[in-house]
Amino acid sequence: MSNLIISEKVSSAAKRDIIDLNAKINAFNSGETPEESFRKFRLTRGVYGQRQPGVQMIRIKLPYGRITADQLVRIADTSDKFATGNLHATTRQDIQLHFVKLSDSPQLWADLEDAGITLKEACGNTIRNVTASSVAGIDPDEPFDVTPLTHSIFTYFLRNPINQDMGRKFKIAVSSSEKDSALAFIHDVGLIAKLGVNAKGETVKGFKVLIGGGLGAQPFSAQTAFEFLEEQDVIPFIEALLRVFDRHGERTRRHKARMKFLLNDMGLEGMMEKVAEERTAVKNKVFAIPEDLFGTNEAESITHAARPSVSEAYVLENAAQNGIADLDTFKKWLQTNTFEQKQKGWYAVQLRVLLGDMSSDTARSLADIVRQYAADDIRVTVNQGYILRFVKGEDLVPIYKELNQLGLANPGFDSTMDITTCPGTDTCNLAISSSYGITRALEDVMKDEFPEMIYNEDIKIKISGCMNGCGQHNASNIGFHGSSIKNGKLVLPALQVLLGGGFTGDGIGLIGDKVIKVPTKRGPEALRTIFSDYEANAFDGEYFNQYYQRQTKNYFFQLLKPIADLTTLQDDDYRDWDHDELFKTEIGVGECASVMVDLVATTITEGQEKLSLAKENYELGIWADAIYHAYNVLITGAKGLLMTKDVNTNTQYGIINDFEANFGQEFKYETPAQFELADKAETPFRSLAFSINKFEPTEEFATYFLEKADQFLNFVRDTRGAQLMDNSELVLQELSFGKDS
C-alpha cells in the first residue's frame, strides 16, 4: 500500500515496524527479497499464509485476551475493511482475520495500532501471545489478580532482543488459581498463582513454575521448576530461561526445536544449572510488578464497591416480569454462563461462541452492550468465547435479552457441549481434515441426545485439524485430530481419538492417549458410544478421566473398534464434513513449522539490522539489550559465513564452535584485561561469544562488546567479498545488501 497512513497515537517503535513491513513487502514484490527470508520476517509481524494462495491470515496479539469495547469495534471495522467481516477467537486468546491481501497488511496494522492493538510477534519464532485465566481479577478462588504480572511479561519481552530470532516459538501461560484454567501444564513456561512466605517471614505473592510443556505430535506435560517463586523473581527467571533456550535450542531440525525437547535432553537439573549461569547477565535481578496496571485501580475500587448479592429466585422472577417467555433456557444460561465474582454483588457473564467466530456487526453490537452493562474490560477466553465483567445483578435479565438477540446467549459455556476447535482445512495449510464440520456434528449429537452435557464441566472436548494441536486436543478429556486412512487405492478422512487428557478430578493436567483412528463421518457415533458407556458403567461421582484410567486404554480401543471397521464403509465415508467431493489429502507447507532458508546476502543484512538495534539500545542506556543484540550480530554473521561452506549447524553453540573451526584463525581482536575469560585456552571468537553471560551488563561491557560486534561484521563482509572476487556480478549483488544505507 503506497499511501500508508499512520496516526500520531502510534508509538515510534510500532510506526517503524509498520513502515518496515511495508518496505519489505515492496522489496519482496520487486524480487529484491527472497521468499524464504520474507516469510520469516512477516511471520513475526502476525502475517501468516493461508491454505488459499494470495491471501493472508492476520493474527492480532491480545495479551491475556483483554480488549476494550472501542478496541473490539476497531477490530470489527478492520475486518470489514480488509478481511471478511469475521472475527475468529483462538485458544491463545488472540483474534484472527482471514483472507487479507498482503499489500493491505501494513495499513491494517496501522489502523489497529491507532487503537493500542499490536500484531508484533503474534507468529514466528518469538514469544507468542501471553495467555492467562480469563477470570483473573474476578476469580473467587484466586489468591490475587495475575493480570499485572501477565501484562508485565508481555511488555517486558515485546521487541526484546532475546526472543527475536529463536529456534522456535515460545508460549507462556498464567493461571489465577490451582484449578489451572490457563492450562499452565502444556506451556513452555506455566505459572500458577499462590501465596508463600519470603525470607523475612512475610506472606508474599508468588507462583508455582512449570517449564517444558507442549502439544503437537509429541506432547509433553511440563515439569515443576519451582513449587514457589516470589513474584519479583518471575520475569528474571523467564529471561534467564529464554537465554538458555536461545543459545542451546535446536535450530535445524524444526520438529525438535521446542523447549520441551531441550529440557528432555538436558534434564531438569541440568537446565536449571544453565539458567543459574545466566543470572549474572540478565537485565534485572528482580522485577517488581506494578499494582496499578492501568492507572484505574482506585477508581475501580470505588465503582465496584460491594453490592447486595442477588438470588437465582430473584433473577428468575425478574425474567418472568420482563417478558422472557422461555424461562427454562434462561435458567440454564443463568446457571452455566454467569457467576458471582469475588467482588460481592458483581457478576461475570460468559459468552459461548460456536467455532469462535463472530461477525463484525455482532461485535459492534456486543461493544454497545458492554458500554451499557459491564466494565470496559472484555476477555477472550481460551475456549474461544468471551467474558464480560462487573455486571450488576439487576442487569442480568436485560443483558441476557440483548445477548440473546445477537445469538450470544447459548447456555453451556465451557461445558462438554462447548467444543474448542481450530479452523482446520477452511484456512490452514497444515490441516488434514475439516474441524468446523465435525464440531457442528458433535454439538448436534449432544444437543439432541445428551442435553444434560451443558451442565457438565468435567469433560472437555477439543478438536484440531491435524496433529499439531492448535485446538489443544492432547489436553482434553476427549480429543480428536484430523487424519486420513488409506483403504485400497482410496483415502478417506479420519479422526484420531484421544482420551484421558486434560484435568483429573484432583486438578492434575494430563496428556491424552491416542486410542484409535475412526472415519471422520463416524465421529458422532464414536462420541455417542463413549458417552453411553460412561453413563452406564461409571461409579457415582466418578470423573471421566478416573473412569478412563480404571477401564484402561485397551478397554476403549475394543469399545470403539467396530466403529473403525473399514469393511463396512459407505460412499459418504470418503467425503469430509462440509464437502461433496471425494476426499484427498492436500497438506501445504505450514509456516510455523516450515524450514526457513537464509541466503548469505540477506543473512549479512540481518546482521547489520541487529547491529543497528544494538547501537540504538546503547544510546538509550539499555545496556543488557544492546549487548544481546550485539551477540546476535556474532551469531548471524557466523551463520552467514558457515553457509558458504555448506556447514549447517543446529544450535548457537554449534555455530560458535563450527565458526571457530572454519574461520577462527582469521578473526583477531584485542581484549581488555577486565573482560578476559578465566579459561585462557578459549580461542578469540569463542571467548567473545561466550562472554555474553560472564559479565554484568554495564556500560563498560556494552561499549566493549558492541565495538567487537561491529568489527566482526566488517570481518564477515570482507571475508565474503574475498570469496566472491572471481565473480564481480555476485560481489556487487551480495555486498550491496550488507552496506549501511
Side-chain angles (χ1 to χ4, degrees):
M1 179 173 288
S2 57
N3 299 318
L4 189 60
I5 301 171
I6 305 177
S7 82
E8 294 181 357
K9 291 192 290 183
V10 176
S11 70
S12 58
K15 183 176 181 180
R16 181 169 65 180
D17 282 337
I18 295 165
I19 292 172
D20 201 15
L21 174 61
N22 197 52
K24 286 292 197 298
I25 290 173
N26 292 334
F28 169 68
N29 288 336
S30 67
E32 295 175 35
T33 300
E35 182 176 359
E36 295 84 359
S37 178
F38 176 64
R39 182 187 297 119
K40 176 181 175 182
F41 174 85
R42 64 171 166 77
L43 281 171
T44 57
R45 277 80 181 167
V47 183
Y48 191 102
Q50 283 188 199
R51 193 179 190 91
Q52 298 80 6
V55 290
Q56 315 294 316
M57 177 270 283
I58 301 297
R59 180 173 293 149
I60 301 170
K61 191 173 186 178
L62 303 174
Y64 50 96
R66 184 183 188 272
I67 46 174
T68 64
D70 287 348
Q71 287 176 329
L72 182 60
V73 170
R74 179 59 60 88
I75 295 172
D77 292 346
T78 302
S79 184
D80 282 343
K81 185 177 180 180
F82 298 108
T84 61
N86 183 63
L87 285 66
H88 176 71
T90 77
T91 55
R92 296 212 59 76
Q93 296 174 287
D94 297 308
I95 290 177
Q96 293 177 175
L97 308 181
H98 291 88
F99 296 94
V100 176
K101 295 178 181 178
L102 179 61
S103 59
D104 285 341
S105 57
Q107 189 61 60
L108 181 155
W109 188 0
D111 289 358
L112 291 176
E113 282 284 358
D114 178 64
I117 307 166
T118 192
L119 309 184
K120 183 70 171 176
E121 297 157 34
C123 302
N125 298 331
T126 62
I127 294 180
R128 297 294 182 83
N129 195 33
V130 183
T131 60
S133 298
S134 57
V135 294
I138 62 173
D139 183 359
D141 296 319
E142 70 182 18
F144 56 89
D145 184 3
V146 301
T147 303
L149 181 277
T150 311
H151 190 80
S152 295
I153 293 172
F154 161 69
T155 56
Y156 190 91
F157 290 107
L158 185 69
R159 299 184 176 91
N160 192 302
I162 296 171
N163 67 290
Q164 296 308 297
D165 193 23
M166 297 188 296
R168 211 58 175 85
K169 58 191 174 183
F170 199 93
K171 297 181 179 180
I172 301 172
V174 188
S175 280
S176 60
S177 74
E178 291 183 354
K179 290 184 178 179
D180 194 12
S181 58
L183 306 177
F185 76 99
I186 61 170
H187 284 77
D188 296 292
V189 172
L191 305 168
I192 301 175
K194 61 192 300 187
L195 296 175
V197 178
N198 65 11
K200 298 178 182 179
E202 303 164 330
T203 299
V204 293
K205 298 176 183 177
F207 294 85
K208 180 178 182 178
V209 181
L210 308 174
I211 62 173
L215 299 179
Q218 293 179 270
F220 285 71
S221 285
Q223 298 182 45
T224 301
F226 297 97
E227 282 294 340
F228 181 81
L229 183 66
E230 194 170 342
E231 185 182 58
Q232 67 176 6
D233 297 321
V234 169
I235 285 178
F237 168 74
I238 296 174
E239 182 175 356
L241 182 68
L242 281 166
R243 292 169 71 100
V244 174
F245 177 60
D246 193 30
R247 196 147 323 129
H248 295 271
E250 174 71 44
R251 288 171 180 269
T252 301
R253 298 174 299 163
R254 306 281 294 179
H255 63 289
K256 291 288 187 181
R258 291 297 299 273
M259 176 71 183
K260 58 189 179 183
F261 296 112
L262 182 61
L263 177 60
N264 190 55
D265 290 343
M266 285 187 171
L268 181 60
E269 185 177 349
M271 173 71 75
M272 297 302 285
E273 287 176 357
K274 291 293 184 185
V275 170
E277 291 174 5
E278 298 293 331
R279 291 303 296 269
T280 298
V282 296
K283 190 189 311 183
N284 297 282
K285 303 303 182 283
V286 295
F287 190 89
I289 306 302
E291 292 291 333
D292 193 15
L293 188 62
F294 302 107
T296 57
N297 281 11
E298 184 177 348
E300 289 282 314
S301 65
I302 296 171
T303 305
H304 300 138
R307 298 170 52 84
S309 300
V310 295
S311 66
E312 181 178 299
Y314 164 84
V315 179
L316 290 173
E317 182 180 353
N318 190 13
Q321 292 174 350
N322 283 275
I324 294 181
D326 189 351
L327 288 177
D328 181 57
T329 299
F330 174 77
K331 183 177 180 180
K332 291 176 182 176
W333 173 85
L334 187 66
Q335 293 175 344
T336 61
N337 290 36
T338 72
F339 66 88
E340 185 172 10
Q341 302 175 178
K342 72 176 186 181
Q343 295 85 0
K344 180 176 169 55
W346 294 95
Y347 295 82
V349 173
Q350 300 167 119
L351 313 184
R352 178 183 162 202
V353 180
L354 179 64
L355 308 176
D357 288 337
M358 181 185 295
S359 74
S360 55
D361 287 341
T362 299
R364 280 185 285 267
S365 296
L366 175 60
D368 288 338
I369 293 172
V370 169
R371 293 184 184 109
Q372 183 173 359
Y373 295 109
D376 195 17
D377 184 351
I378 309 163
R379 304 285 173 104
V380 182
T381 67
V382 294
N383 64 324
Q384 301 175 290
Y386 295 79
I387 183 168
L388 313 184
R389 304 147 76 90
F390 290 99
V391 176
K392 297 176 183 176
E394 57 266 32
D395 286 339
L396 288 172
V397 171
I399 200 173
Y400 168 82
K401 292 176 72 173
E402 296 207 29
L403 290 172
N404 196 39
Q405 289 179 349
L406 297 176
L408 295 176
N410 296 315
F413 176 86
D414 203 27
S415 67
T416 307
M417 202 175 288
D418 189 5
I419 297 176
T420 301
T421 184
C422 74
T425 50
D426 279 33
T427 56
C428 180
N429 269 324
L430 285 175
I432 299 171
S433 62
S434 170
S435 297
Y436 279 3
I438 184 61
T439 297
R440 294 188 192 97
L442 296 184
E443 291 198 357
D444 285 344
V445 166
M446 288 186 281
K447 182 173 63 177
D448 296 339
E449 302 175 38
F450 304 92
E452 72 281 359
M453 286 300 176
I454 67 165
Y455 298 110
N456 189 310
E457 296 180 349
D458 163 40
I459 304 173
K460 309 294 186 189
I461 302 175
K462 300 177 187 288
I463 300 174
S464 300
C466 70
M467 67 182 69
N468 286 296
C470 292
Q472 300 177 337
H473 61 270
N474 306 95
S476 61
N477 309 97
I478 301 174
F480 301 94
H481 80 68
S483 188
S484 61
I485 299 174
K486 190 170 183 180
N487 186 39
K489 295 183 178 181
L490 295 176
V491 178
L492 62 149
L495 291 172
Q496 175 66 58
V497 182
L498 298 93
L499 299 174
F503 294 105
T504 62
D506 53 7
I508 302 299
L510 300 173
I511 300 297
D513 294 329
K514 289 185 176 181
V515 175
I516 198 169
K517 192 184 290 188
V518 301
T520 190
K521 284 296 180 70
R522 300 181 183 182
E525 181 60 26
L527 185 66
R528 187 179 292 116
T529 300
I530 293 167
F531 280 167
S532 298
D533 180 80
Y534 176 56
E535 289 184 349
N537 299 315
F539 298 149
D540 287 344
E542 188 174 30
Y543 289 102
F544 178 82
N545 273 13
Q546 294 170 339
Y547 177 65
Y548 169 75
Q549 291 164 5
R550 176 167 63 84
Q551 295 286 41
T552 74
K553 173 181 174 179
N554 185 62
Y555 173 86
F556 281 91
F557 174 81
Q558 298 298 332
L559 181 70
L560 298 174
K561 189 175 180 180
I563 301 173
D565 184 4
L566 299 185
T567 64
T568 59
L569 288 174
Q570 304 295 316
D571 287 345
D572 196 44
D573 288 318
Y574 291 95
R575 293 172 171 82
D576 204 354
W577 295 98
D578 295 339
H579 292 268
D580 295 325
E581 71 279 5
L582 290 177
F583 176 79
K584 58 181 179 179
T585 54
E586 294 179 327
I587 305 173
V589 178
E591 300 207 316
C592 282
S594 63
V595 176
M596 307 301 179
V597 180
D598 292 317
L599 303 180
V600 177
T602 54
T603 303
I604 295 174
T605 302
E606 285 181 24
Q608 181 58 54
E609 290 171 349
K610 289 169 182 176
L611 183 60
S612 296
L613 289 170
K615 292 177 178 178
E616 284 183 24
N617 280 272
Y618 181 87
E619 292 299 324
L620 293 171
I622 309 174
W623 316 125
D625 286 1
I627 292 165
Y628 209 89
H629 278 304
Y631 166 76
N632 279 326
V633 173
L634 303 182
I635 297 301
T636 303
K639 180 171 66 174
L641 286 186
L642 287 172
M643 289 167 57
T644 69
K645 294 197 174 185
D646 294 324
V647 177
N648 194 9
T649 307
N650 62 345
T651 66
Q652 286 186 352
Y653 259 69
I655 289 172
I656 294 167
N657 290 327
D658 285 343
F659 180 86
E660 194 64 51
N662 287 274
F663 298 97
Q665 298 304 314
E666 303 169 36
F667 178 57
K668 307 293 184 183
Y669 62 92
E670 295 294 328
T671 305
Q674 68 268 36
F675 297 128
E676 287 184 355
L677 296 185
D679 185 356
K680 301 298 183 181
E682 283 289 7
T683 49
F685 183 73
R686 280 171 51 93
S687 178
L688 180 62
F690 290 162
S691 69
I692 182 69
N693 65 351
K694 302 297 190 299
F695 301 97
E696 293 281 346
T698 61
E699 179 179 4
E700 187 179 17
F701 183 62
T703 302
Y704 157 75
F705 205 82
L706 264 68
E707 178 185 319
K708 299 311 171 191
D710 198 346
Q711 181 180 337
F712 176 74
L713 192 58
N714 286 326
F715 166 80
V716 171
R717 286 200 199 95
D718 292 343
T719 303
R720 183 56 176 161
Q723 291 174 340
L724 297 171
M725 282 307 295
D726 290 337
N727 190 324
S728 59
E729 182 179 343
L730 284 179
V731 171
L732 293 174
Q733 178 184 340
E734 291 211 10
L735 294 188
S736 65
F737 279 113
K739 297 292 186 183
D740 283 312
S741 57

